[in-house]
Amino acid sequence: MQLRIMSFRCVLLLIAAAAATTANAHNVTHMLAKHPDFSTFNHYLTTTHLADEINRRRTITVCAVDNAAMNELLSKHYSLYTLKNILSLHVFADYFGAKKLHQITKSSTTTSSLFQATGEADGTSGYVNITDMKGGRVGFTPVDSDADQPMATFVKSIEELPYDIAVIQISHILSSPEAEAPTAGPGDTNLTVLMARQGCKAFSDLITADGAADTFAQSVEGGLTIFCPSDEALAAFAPTYKNLTADGKTSILLYHGVPIYYSLGMLRSSNGLMNTLATEGAKKYDFTVQNDGNEVKLKTKIVTAAIKGTLINEDPLAVYKIDKVLLPKELFKAAPPAPAPKPAKSAKAKAAKGDDDADSPGPAGDDSAAADEESSNDGGGRFAGSGGFVTVCFCLLFGILTL
Ligand SMILES: *[C@@H]1O[C@H](CO)[C@@H](O)[C@H](O)[C@H]1NC(C)=O
Ligand SMILES: *[C@@H]1O[C@H](CO)[C@@H](O)[C@H](O)[C@H]1NC(C)=O
Ligand SMILES: *[C@@H]1O[C@H](CO)[C@@H](O)[C@H](O)[C@H]1NC(C)=O
Ligand SMILES: *[C@@H]1O[C@H](CO)[C@@H](O)[C@H](O)[C@H]1NC(C)=O
């Protein structure tokens, strides 16, 4: 009971914290709207959804180019998906205001761009060298750029909110062969072929045989994120899969799809419960997304899987490789409970949840093993925009408890 009250207070504090943070948040579209020379660049930040990604982040630099430079880029008739890759190379995951640009230690530094951070780029592409040159000039060179391209240089600062966001003008579009490589639109993507070619052949075969592949394909248009278990993960799971009923098989396959598009950046900043394609009324078939440093973890009551790679990330479709098969509590028993004393709320929570799935091989989802997860869902998961709020919440909760 005491814990409930604390949780409730915690939620109130969280809401207050969230409101305060929202007030400070930047809006790159709004910042650039005051500068008509950059209207084309601004327009494409919106249509590629990069603006959302930029607004979600802190400590970020946007290298804008003027309308003339954008028109030159547009004359090459890249697809929107390729344009997104190119423009994401112009957003750095660090703060470089004018002052910092002119005072780079050792005159040169390498920074990572969103092209790198979203998992689109291989190897060193997606990194950009920033160099202080003679006469106070600052040059920007993508690490994988062709040497014959004109070097983009710093022109001026457009807007700065130290050390949150810097919007600066550079002279040219940053050029990188990998960012410019043709990218097929998600509508043309053959999901099963895509998975089979990138280490998820076993999962691809299962969804084809089961017919779940059609459900996945039909969901792409409205936004879809698939977490496909690697071939190694599925090999270990095959005997258990064979034992499931036909319904159970379809459900566990659909459990690996979420009917919303999530880039890796969005997943990193959206901790909490997620419904899946298997969700149907009382059969929740949900799981929790949680950040662990820079790694994204998916937690069910039974297993925790980590994202190990990106097969495709093009709004409205993202496919990630994970290292374990996600086991829903609707189909599997939880791991043996930890030998901790059961909190009183456990029994109540279990009763409230109701275990109404006939497929279930036993009393699924023992709550004591999952008690941590429960309490963080009460307080943090649904409300928190980022892990930071959860931390704040627990600090405050701790403070209250010790009073
Ligand atoms: C950002 O600013 C633009 C233009 O002022 C506005 O249309 C948009 O709704 C804003 N976005 C958010 C998330 O506030
Ligand atoms: C980028 O910087 C690194 C380290 O200073 C250097 O080794 C590399 O050659 C530079 N690449 C380009 C394209 O300037
Ligand atoms: C995907 O490719 C496979 C193999 O070429 C083919 O059998 C299947 O029909 C394709 N699926 C779609 C939706 O085009
Ligand atoms: C499959 O079901 C059979 C019969 O219920 C059981 O003996 C066997 O251990 C199960 N295998 C796995 C891998 O769950």
Side-chain angles (χ1 to χ4, degrees):
M1 194 58 204
Q2 188 124 22
L3 198 62
R4 287 264 150 204
I5 293 168
M6 290 305 171
S7 291
F8 181 64
R9 279 197 199 169
C10 191
V11 167
L12 289 183
L13 287 167
L14 269 174
I15 291 168
T21 313
T22 310
N24 294 333
H26 55 249
N27 177 342
V28 70
T29 313
H30 187 71
M31 291 169 88
L32 277 170
K34 291 173 243 166
H35 304 273
D37 285 353
F38 302 94
S39 57
T40 312
F41 184 84
N42 201 10
H43 171 77
Y44 280 93
L45 285 188
T46 304
T47 53
T48 57
H49 297 279
L50 275 173
D52 300 335
E53 193 76 36
I54 293 166
N55 294 343
R56 216 173 281 121
R57 287 166 177 262
R58 297 287 169 274
T59 319
I60 201 156
T61 301
V62 180
C63 299
V65 296
D66 63 13
N67 294 342
M70 270 310 282
N71 286 340
E72 198 185 319
L73 174 68
L74 294 174
S75 73
K76 294 179 185 164
H77 302 289
Y78 291 117
S79 73
L80 190 60
Y81 302 103
T82 302
L83 273 180
K84 179 175 186 174
N85 284 345
I86 296 172
L87 294 181
S88 64
L89 191 63
H90 292 69
V91 182
F92 304 153
D94 197 355
Y95 180 85
F96 290 102
K99 193 169 167 220
K100 185 170 167 192
L101 279 176
H102 288 291
Q103 291 177 355
I104 286 169
T105 328
K106 297 188 187 143
S107 307
S108 179
T109 189
T110 306
T111 191
S112 64
S113 69
L114 279 196
F115 183 49
Q116 215 285 319
T118 50
E120 284 294 309
D122 282 337
T124 56
S125 62
Y127 290 96
V128 177
N129 280 0
I130 306 177
T131 312
D132 282 349
M133 299 180 299
K134 226 168 150 180
R137 294 201 312 151
V138 182
F140 298 85
T141 324
V143 169
D144 75 332
S145 70
D146 292 333
D148 60 348
Q149 294 291 326
M151 183 191 273
T153 53
F154 174 71
V155 178
K156 65 170 191 271
S157 168
I158 302 172
E159 299 248 342
E160 297 185 9
L161 294 174
Y163 294 88
D164 179 14
I165 181 169
V167 184
I168 62 173
Q169 181 185 1
I170 59 170
S171 60
H172 296 82
I173 281 288
L174 299 173
S175 157
S176 141
E178 196 179 337
E180 287 157 20
T183 337
D188 311 327
T189 306
N190 182 320
L191 275 176
T192 50
V193 171
L194 172 91
M195 290 175 189
R197 283 196 186 142
Q198 297 191 59
C200 298
K201 179 158 190 334
F203 188 73
S204 165
D205 290 347
L206 287 184
I207 63 172
T208 305
D210 176 85
D214 295 338
T215 310
F216 283 121
Q218 285 153 14
S219 307
V220 172
E221 201 183 344
L224 177 66
T225 304
I226 302 174
F227 301 98
C228 62
S230 66
D231 286 344
E232 298 78 42
L234 255 184
F237 179 68
T240 315
Y241 180 80
K242 288 206 189 85
N243 255 9
L244 292 170
T245 63
D247 271 359
K249 283 178 177 149
T250 305
S251 293
I252 195 167
L253 297 175
L254 294 179
Y255 186 56
H256 288 77
V258 171
I260 297 174
Y261 161 75
Y262 286 107
S263 69
L264 210 47
M266 291 158 87
L267 285 173
R268 285 199 186 107
S269 60
S270 61
N271 287 339
L273 276 179
M274 264 183 205
N275 281 345
T276 65
L277 293 177
T279 302
E280 193 182 357
K283 297 182 184 176
K284 286 195 185 152
Y285 281 102
D286 54 11
F287 58 77
T288 304
V289 175
Q290 217 165 59
N291 289 328
D292 188 1
N294 231 10
E295 207 171 44
V296 177
K297 297 247 161 103
L298 311 177
K299 290 179 71 173
T300 80
K301 292 263 154 108
I302 293 109
V303 75
T304 301
I307 292 183
K308 292 297 179 189
T310 303
L311 275 53
I312 189 173
N313 171 23
E314 281 154 25
D315 191 353
L317 172 68
V319 183
Y320 304 103
K321 192 196 290 189
I322 56 175
D323 63 352
K324 291 203 182 85
V325 175
L326 296 174
L327 305 177
K329 69 172 190 298
E330 284 79 1
L331 293 178
F332 297 93
K333 265 192 240 185
K342 285 198 176 209
K345 86 175 215 188
S346 194
K348 199 172 123 200
K350 200 185 277 182
K353 245 183 265 150
D355 186 20
D356 50 7
D357 195 330
D359 287 344
S360 206
D366 190 301
D367 283 344
S368 70
D372 288 352
E373 191 189 7
E374 274 304 306
S375 59
S376 87
N377 284 345
D378 284 349
R382 281 167 217 265
F383 292 92
S386 79
F389 296 156
V390 180
T391 314
V392 167
C393 165
F394 278 106
C395 290
L396 291 170
L397 182 58
F398 228 80
I400 294 164
L401 283 171
T402 47
L403 276 182

